């Protein structure tokens, strides 16, 4: 829908006196929206779907959402454009200009102005850089990979069975249903996959890149592959017995 609105801008511009920002609610990954949509939109991300099994509640939530939509005016957006124009006019180095960070910082400031200290802003309302956005978009993948690499699923033998994992050389090897299916479903980011070594039911991930990918997540700055400590402990016991 966002792409269609952007392509129809010239037509809409002549039909409407003001074009408000697009407010999108979504139950999908943030990366599914094109940059062209993100630059012209305020995306409200939620992973909570309507309760389809509770018709009465779903209908009430739908009515409330439509009621809020009918109350939206262009005043806030017009003020945003007025203030953003001053910021853009003052830019001297476009190469280092982060439009998302500057825009979110301005929105944060405007929300504070509206509330006037009467209540605190929610945790989601904060300054966000393009790098923060990219990190946030990858959080579900980080969580999935970290869960797959639970120490309880580690096996010392190679190749691992389905659902298990092990370390083989410089790679982490996951036992999957079928490598090509996993790649098609994009369960794992491409840059950490060792495609040359992967095949059959064995998905090879580059160990250093995988650990670095997980470390970039929130609260995972000191992350280390759980099997590393386990392997060292076993090796130390073996040395002691010798």
């Amino acid at each position: 829908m966002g792409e269609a609105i952007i392509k129809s801008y010239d037509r809409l511009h002549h039909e409407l006196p003001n074009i408000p920002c697009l407010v999108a609610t979504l139950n999908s990954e943030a990366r599914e929206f094109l940059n062209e949509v993100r630059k012209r939109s305020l995306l409200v991300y939620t992973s909570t779907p309507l309760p389809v099994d509770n018709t009465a509640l779903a209908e009430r939530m739908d009515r409330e959402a439509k009621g809020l939509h009918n109350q939206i005016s262009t005043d806030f957006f017009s003020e945003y454009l007025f203030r953003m124009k001053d910021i853009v006019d003052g830019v001297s180095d476009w190469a280092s200009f982060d439009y998302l960070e500057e825009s979110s910082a301005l929105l944060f400031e405007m929300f504070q102005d509206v509330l006037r200290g009467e209540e605190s802003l929610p945790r989601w309302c904060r300054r966000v850089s393009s790098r923060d956005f990219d990190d946030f978009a990858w959080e579900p993948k980080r969580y999935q990979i970290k869960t797959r690499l639970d120490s309880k699923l580690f096996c010392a033998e190679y190749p691992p069975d389905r659902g298990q994992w092990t370390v083989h050389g410089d790679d982490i090897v996951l036992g999957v249903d079928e490598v090509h299916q996993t790649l098609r479903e994009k369960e794992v980011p491409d840059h950490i996959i060792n495609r040359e070594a992967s095949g059959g039911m064995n998905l090879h991930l580059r160990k250093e890149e995988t650990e670095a990918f997980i470390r970039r997540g929130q609260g995972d700055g000191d992350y280390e592959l759980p099997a590393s400590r386990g392997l060292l402990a076993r090796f130390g016991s073996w040395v002691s017995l010798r």
Side-chain angles (χ1 to χ4, degrees), residues 8-236:
S8 303
Y9 177 82
D10 290 336
R11 177 178 61 80
L12 290 171
H13 184 64
H14 291 90
E15 295 178 3
L16 301 175
N18 292 301
I19 299 180
C21 59
L22 173 67
V23 180
T25 57
L26 56 147
N27 187 25
S28 57
E29 292 190 11
R31 276 185 172 274
E32 292 184 9
F33 282 81
L34 301 175
N35 282 338
E36 293 304 308
V37 176
R38 283 168 44 197
K39 284 189 286 188
R40 294 167 171 81
S41 311
L42 170 62
L43 300 181
V44 181
Y45 180 87
T46 174
S47 59
T48 306
L50 287 173
V52 293
D53 60 325
N54 188 334
T55 305
L57 178 59
E59 289 178 349
R60 179 172 65 81
M61 293 175 68
D62 184 58
R63 286 195 303 271
E64 291 177 353
K66 289 179 179 177
L68 289 172
H69 181 270
N70 292 334
Q71 297 176 39
I72 295 176
S73 71
T74 60
D75 292 345
F76 186 86
F77 185 55
S78 297
E79 178 65 18
Y80 165 84
L81 291 178
F82 179 77
R83 298 192 192 186
M84 181 55 74
K85 181 180 182 299
D86 289 339
I87 296 174
V88 172
D89 288 344
V91 175
S92 58
D93 182 11
W94 285 101
S96 60
F97 182 75
D98 188 331
Y99 71 88
L100 183 58
E101 185 171 17
E102 294 294 337
S103 176
S104 62
L106 175 56
L107 287 171
F108 178 82
E109 176 186 310
M110 291 177 64
F111 287 140
Q112 285 185 313
D113 292 345
V114 171
L115 293 177
R116 297 174 183 172
E118 296 176 3
E119 57 182 286
S120 59
L121 293 172
R123 286 188 300 173
W124 57 261
C125 187
R126 60 185 177 86
R127 186 171 183 161
V128 180
S129 67
S130 296
R131 181 172 180 175
D132 292 334
F133 179 87
D134 289 337
D135 286 343
F136 171 75
W138 283 112
E139 276 304 305
K141 300 295 183 185
R142 287 195 183 92
Y143 177 78
Q144 290 172 7
I145 295 174
K146 195 175 178 182
T147 301
R148 278 179 173 267
L149 298 178
D150 190 287
S151 58
K152 296 177 182 178
L153 301 176
F154 175 79
C155 70
E157 298 180 357
Y158 173 84
D161 293 330
R162 183 178 61 185
Q164 295 183 325
W165 65 278
T166 191
V167 176
H168 185 71
D170 295 328
D171 288 350
I172 298 168
V173 185
L174 297 177
V176 298
D177 290 325
E178 205 270 329
V179 165
H180 293 296
Q181 177 184 345
T182 304
L183 296 178
R184 280 197 303 272
E185 294 176 354
K186 297 183 178 179
E187 294 181 17
V188 179
D190 289 339
H191 72 279
I192 68 174
I193 299 174
N194 184 347
R195 290 178 176 269
E196 291 75 16
S198 298
M201 296 175 60
N202 296 319
L203 179 65
H204 284 243
L205 308 180
R206 296 183 174 87
K207 181 175 177 294
E208 290 187 5
E209 283 85 346
T210 301
E211 289 180 321
F213 173 71
I214 294 176
R215 282 191 205 106
R216 287 195 292 272
Q218 297 180 3
D220 292 317
D222 297 325
Y223 178 83
E224 182 182 357
L225 196 66
S228 300
R229 292 186 288 274
L231 287 172
L232 288 173
R234 276 192 282 275
F235 179 73

